[in-house]
Amino acid sequence: MINTNVGVFYDAPSWHDKDYYGFLLLQRIWGNYRVGEHNGHLNLMAKQYNSHHISLGDLPDVTKQECVYAPYKDCGIWGNYYFGNEVFTRQMNYLGLASPTNKATHVHDVEVYRAKNKLYNELMNLQSTQDTM
């Protein structure tokens, strides 16, 4: 196989936990990354808004990243899935392990506000305007 799939996941709260919405917000802070959408038009990846995406932009053959939060009735999982060239397998593992620690100490307010707005809009769009009326 030419490309590598890497998943790094952690235990997370269930639907009934008080931290459920916190992890929904955390999922939006991390966001999803596609190389064609996020760095194909930028001259410098440092101009990217998301700090995790800046790290991914330094690895040119990592083409996909998805942040997954899957809560269940009694437990849940949270983590990141990476897809890219096998040369970057160790770096993808490192990003999955080290990024949560780095993000916990160096999260930017801009990323939090963007994630809050995105989560708010997603929750408001669960029902269409016709259903609401």
Side-chain angles (χ1 to χ4, degrees):
M1 186 171 178
I2 297 171
N3 292 317
T4 302
N5 297 285
V6 175
V8 180
F9 292 92
Y10 301 93
D11 291 333
S14 68
W15 284 319
H16 305 294
D17 196 283
K18 63 181 179 176
D19 293 328
Y20 170 73
Y21 287 102
F23 269 77
L24 285 178
L25 182 65
L26 190 63
Q27 181 183 16
R28 271 66 181 182
I29 289 173
W30 246 262
N32 296 329
Y33 174 83
R34 303 282 184 284
V35 73
E37 294 175 18
H38 294 93
N39 75 349
H41 61 284
L42 295 175
N43 293 330
L44 296 172
M45 273 311 288
K47 305 278 185 190
Q48 183 61 256
Y49 294 125
N50 189 318
S51 61
H52 187 65
H53 295 174
I54 292 171
S55 301
L56 289 167
D58 293 335
L59 308 173
D61 286 339
V62 176
T63 57
K64 181 179 181 180
Q65 174 267 333
E66 287 185 16
C67 184
V68 178
Y69 173 48
Y72 302 103
K73 183 178 179 182
D74 57 345
C75 64
I77 60 169
W78 175 88
N80 287 292
Y81 162 76
Y82 300 95
F83 175 79
N85 193 318
E86 65 184 5
V87 173
F88 294 104
T89 302
R90 289 180 190 249
Q91 286 87 348
M92 288 187 280
N93 280 326
Y94 175 77
L95 280 174
L97 294 171
S99 289
T101 304
N102 293 337
K103 188 72 89 170
T105 57
H106 296 99
V107 67
H108 299 286
D109 289 340
V110 173
E111 294 179 35
V112 174
Y113 286 118
R114 279 195 188 108
K116 282 181 181 178
N117 290 336
K118 183 173 183 175
L119 180 59
Y120 176 79
N121 288 329
E122 287 176 5
L123 291 174
M124 292 301 288
N125 286 327
L126 287 177
Q127 291 182 325
S128 69
T129 53
Q130 293 173 347
D131 293 340
T132 305
M133 296 178 113

